[in-house]
Amino acid sequence: MEHIIEIDHLHKSFGDVKAVQDLSFRVKEGELFAFLGVNGAGKSTTINILCGQLPKDRGSVCICGTDLDTDPDLIKRNLGVVFQNSVLDKDLSVRDNLQSRAALYGIRGEAFRSRLEELSHLLDFHDLLKRSVGKLSGGQRRRIDIARALLHRPKILILDEPTTGLDPQTRNLLWEVIGELRQKENLTVFLTTHYMEEAADADYVVILNHGIIAAEGTPLMLKNNYTGDFITIYGQSEKQIQKLGAPYSPLRDAYRVSVPNTAAATALILKYPEVFQDYEITKGKMDDVFLTVTGSKLTGGTEK
């Protein structure tokens, strides 16, 4: 199966608000797929439709070869979801939370104990099993959220801003685990995030704006199409920078000059070698792509 998720002409409105408008995209099996957009762009609406939590107005959703309208329960068994806000019961222990969830999938007895051992080792929470979820830190709770989503060995893991508010150490652990699962089990990961460095590692990116796809492609394709290169020049006066005739912005101890591509940077260096005594050239980043495409910077928060 090449495409594990197929969305065609999806529509969803809330009264006069068109949350999702004629949305069509594909997700390949085993890839890390990034679904980006500012708050209110329609990301969570789309995810809730995929998970069967929200009815669509029209269009088709096919997951693992099954149409959502035909067998929603089968689709749910193929999905593991980590929502923005934890859905764990704060009064129960970690073990009880996971055991009650596993029971919904018929995972009991030795099968549950074996899977729990596997996940607690993978996500490093063996020493937390008896602790109530309400007493866990945000990072610890997020690890349990992910374990809960993986209990039934889903083919697709949906991560809705999974690392928001986490410390760098926990973020790194989660991405190591996800990378390992993708490699070993060919897990498909459907990610929404406002950390652009996470999106830059994706195999494919869709940028949503007001419920419509504003841009899509690999991170490299998007960077080539929507940003140029940047030359950071040190130790020069603004008058020298102005000689280049290119857009620029001052930094703390340098100037950042925008050029369409590396060839244009080379041409400037050859023409004005005296200006380029101390400099560096960098490709545009996914932040620049997002800003160009949507006119907004991507920041955290909640959305409909």
Side-chain angles (χ1 to χ4, degrees):
M1 181 192 306
E2 186 187 14
H3 293 122
I4 198 165
I5 300 176
E6 299 173 272
I7 309 295
D8 285 299
H9 306 295
L10 189 65
H11 290 260
K12 180 64 184 179
S13 297
F14 299 96
D16 293 334
V17 178
K18 295 178 178 178
V20 174
Q21 303 179 60
D22 199 25
L23 195 61
S24 298
F25 62 85
R26 301 283 185 271
V27 179
K28 289 184 178 179
E29 186 173 14
E31 78 178 354
L32 171 56
F33 178 93
F35 197 52
L36 309 180
V38 296
N39 295 336
K43 305 188 305 295
S44 290
T45 297
T46 304
I47 287 173
N48 286 331
I49 291 171
L50 295 184
C51 298
Q53 294 190 322
L54 192 64
K56 56 187 170 58
D57 293 342
R58 62 184 188 276
S60 68
V61 175
C62 187
I63 297 176
C64 298
T66 301
D67 190 285
L68 180 63
D69 294 336
T70 304
D71 196 342
D73 290 334
L74 179 59
I75 284 178
K76 287 177 185 177
R77 293 191 72 86
N78 285 317
L79 297 178
V81 188
V82 179
F83 294 103
Q84 285 183 36
N85 299 314
S86 179
V87 292
L88 299 167
D89 189 322
K90 292 182 180 180
D91 295 326
L92 294 180
S93 69
V94 168
R95 183 188 179 90
D96 288 345
N97 261 285
L98 296 177
Q99 191 165 13
S100 61
R101 180 65 179 179
L104 295 177
Y105 293 98
I107 305 169
R108 298 182 175 87
E110 182 53 38
F112 169 69
R113 286 189 290 274
S114 174
R115 185 60 172 154
L116 181 64
E117 177 64 30
E118 196 177 357
L119 291 171
S120 63
H121 174 73
L122 187 68
L123 286 153
D124 191 24
F125 63 83
H126 201 276
D127 58 337
L128 303 176
L129 288 171
K130 294 180 181 178
R131 199 180 300 183
S132 67
V133 166
K135 293 181 179 176
L136 301 182
S137 69
Q140 291 170 334
R141 194 175 304 139
R142 187 50 95 202
R143 280 185 268 160
I144 312 307
D145 280 322
I146 291 177
R148 176 186 180 276
L150 293 171
L151 277 167
H152 59 298
R153 300 183 189 276
K155 293 180 180 177
I156 301 165
L157 181 63
I158 295 178
L159 300 172
D160 195 5
E161 300 199 3
T163 58
T164 299
L166 297 188
D167 61 274
Q169 186 178 355
T170 304
R171 281 176 66 191
N172 288 341
L173 170 67
L174 296 188
W175 280 112
E176 282 174 17
V177 168
I178 290 162
E180 191 175 329
L181 289 166
R182 289 184 62 213
Q183 189 173 26
K184 287 183 177 178
E185 301 181 14
N186 200 32
L187 182 71
T188 303
V189 178
F190 187 105
L191 169 74
T192 78
T193 181
H194 66 267
Y195 292 111
M196 286 290 95
E197 66 269 29
E198 293 178 350
D201 290 331
D203 297 301
Y204 199 80
V205 178
V206 164
I207 299 176
L208 212 58
N209 197 28
H210 301 299
I212 299 169
I213 292 178
E216 62 179 304
T218 66
L220 182 60
M221 286 166 54
L222 291 171
K223 284 189 262 190
N224 284 340
N225 289 340
Y226 293 101
T227 73
D229 288 6
F230 296 98
I231 316 170
T232 305
I233 303 175
Y234 302 92
Q236 295 290 353
S237 67
E238 187 168 6
K239 188 175 180 180
Q240 287 285 83
I241 301 299
Q242 288 172 343
K243 276 170 51 175
L244 304 177
Y248 69 91
S249 56
L251 304 177
R252 185 174 178 179
D253 57 353
Y255 290 92
R256 190 186 196 220
V257 179
S258 302
V259 289
N261 48 48
T262 308
T266 304
L268 282 179
I269 293 166
L270 293 173
K271 188 174 181 181
Y272 302 101
E274 71 280 2
V275 178
F276 294 91
Q277 301 300 310
D278 188 5
Y279 68 94
E280 56 186 343
I281 301 176
T282 55
K283 285 276 184 197
K285 295 182 170 63
M286 286 301 295
D287 295 273
D288 302 305
V289 171
F290 194 88
L291 184 60
T292 301
V293 169
T294 67
S296 307
K297 289 190 176 181
L298 195 55
T299 55
T302 56
E303 59 138 349
K304 188 169 187 180

